[in-house]
Amino acid sequence: MKSDPHAPLLDDAAVAPVPSIDGAEAALDRPIPPAPVQLGAWLVQALLFVVIPVGLLALAGALAIVLVRVVADLRVGIDVFTPTALRPRLPLYEVAGRGVAADVLRQVLMAAFAIALAVWQDGAAWRRRLALKAPAEPRMSSPLRLWLLMAVWPIIHILWVTETARALNGGVAQGIHLSPFLSPLAIVGWFAYVVVLAPVAEELVMRGEAFARASRIMRPAGVIAATALLFSLAHLSESSGIARPISLLPLAITLGWLRWRTGRLWPCMLLHGWSNLALVTYLLWPARY
């Protein structure tokens, strides 16, 4: 039955033959519109929509710092329980390496937590929850639009990020510099973190878990806007202020639209990683200095 109240009571679908088993299984993969909920239940779901992704980010970050510090201390022969005031001063290459290791481990933990949560909530259907399974009826009929978006997006992203950062005195407006104390292995780890690990982990959390949760209580436009705002605010930092969240809003909205349009998460991961690669390449390009 159609959802439009002005639609005729009978249409082609109403008199169509009973679908086959394959057709019934395909129907199960179709997205189900959010059912009406009471205000109290809606507020609880809205709160969980914010708390769960933020909690995953915070837990992964804290656990990564602790694990990296413990393992690195044991590796260089420092007592893990030594008070901060009595700890020996670490060489700069050790500090830089620990920072990269913590970033890498944080993304791995975020991805693992998001998948584990989806398995715990939906069991064998966890791939469908995180949009890792192809939908029965994708809204983007041709992949050509995706590749066109991939082709033009770096220009849009670079211009928006650099100009908004410059207007808001954000640090990225002056470019970024890799620490001279990073080892070759740490540099490889940093690029893997920026181009692969962060896009995969953040998309699993934001356009995977958060998108699925918001879809229960919001229409597609609201889901896209809410996840975009949450994604942008998650990048709020003391050093860049509001410049970084604002610079990420177009990317976040585009990723949400892509998630809804394709019904899949991998295009979001691909565009996210491609955006990061294009931006850091532009900012690190020697000709700029």
Side-chain angles (χ1 to χ4, degrees), residues 24-271:
E25 291 178 349
L28 294 176
D29 287 336
R30 295 171 186 167
I32 301 174
V37 294
Q38 295 181 350
L39 178 60
W42 190 95
L43 291 175
V44 170
Q45 291 298 323
L47 181 62
L48 291 175
F49 160 73
V50 176
V51 170
I52 289 180
V54 171
L56 292 179
L57 299 178
L59 179 60
L63 189 56
I65 292 174
V66 171
L67 290 176
V68 167
R69 174 167 174 167
V70 170
V71 173
D73 282 354
L74 293 175
R75 180 177 59 85
V76 299
I78 299 176
D79 185 355
V80 176
F81 299 102
T82 302
T84 302
L86 300 178
R87 294 176 64 84
R89 184 180 297 274
L90 296 173
L92 293 178
Y93 70 84
E94 178 72 16
V95 176
R98 290 186 182 203
V100 172
D103 286 337
V104 168
L105 184 56
R106 183 177 72 250
Q107 305 307 318
V108 173
L109 291 173
M110 279 172 51
F113 290 161
I115 293 174
L117 181 61
V119 171
W120 179 68
Q121 292 181 127
D122 284 8
W126 68 271
R127 291 182 181 84
R128 185 183 305 165
R129 179 182 183 86
L130 296 179
L132 297 175
K133 182 179 180 181
E137 297 178 356
R139 295 181 179 88
M140 184 173 285
S141 57
S142 172
L144 178 60
R145 295 181 181 180
L146 173 61
W147 298 119
L148 289 175
L149 176 62
M150 294 286 292
V152 302
W153 182 256
I155 300 174
I156 300 173
H157 187 58
I158 289 171
L159 287 175
W160 177 264
V161 170
T162 54
E163 291 306 314
T164 54
R166 185 175 291 111
L168 298 171
N169 296 318
V172 74
Q174 289 76 41
I176 58 177
H177 304 271
L178 290 178
S179 170
F181 301 102
L182 287 175
S183 66
L185 181 60
I187 292 176
V188 172
W190 184 81
F191 273 101
Y193 151 69
V194 171
V195 179
V196 179
L197 298 176
V200 169
E202 291 177 2
E203 292 310 309
L204 282 170
V205 173
M206 294 297 173
R207 256 64 58 176
E209 170 60 31
F211 200 99
R213 189 169 293 278
S215 296
R216 298 177 177 178
I217 58 174
M218 302 178 189
R219 295 186 180 276
V223 176
I224 294 171
T227 52
L229 183 61
L230 185 62
F231 173 82
S232 299
L233 291 178
H235 290 81
L236 186 65
S237 66
E238 185 177 352
S239 59
S240 62
I242 63 170
R244 182 138 174 80
I246 291 177
S247 71
L248 289 175
L249 266 178
L251 174 63
I253 293 173
T254 303
L255 290 172
W257 173 84
L258 198 59
R259 162 67 177 84
W260 169 77
R261 187 69 176 175
T262 64
R264 300 297 300 274
L265 199 61
W266 72 261
C268 304
M269 295 176 177
L270 189 61
L271 181 63

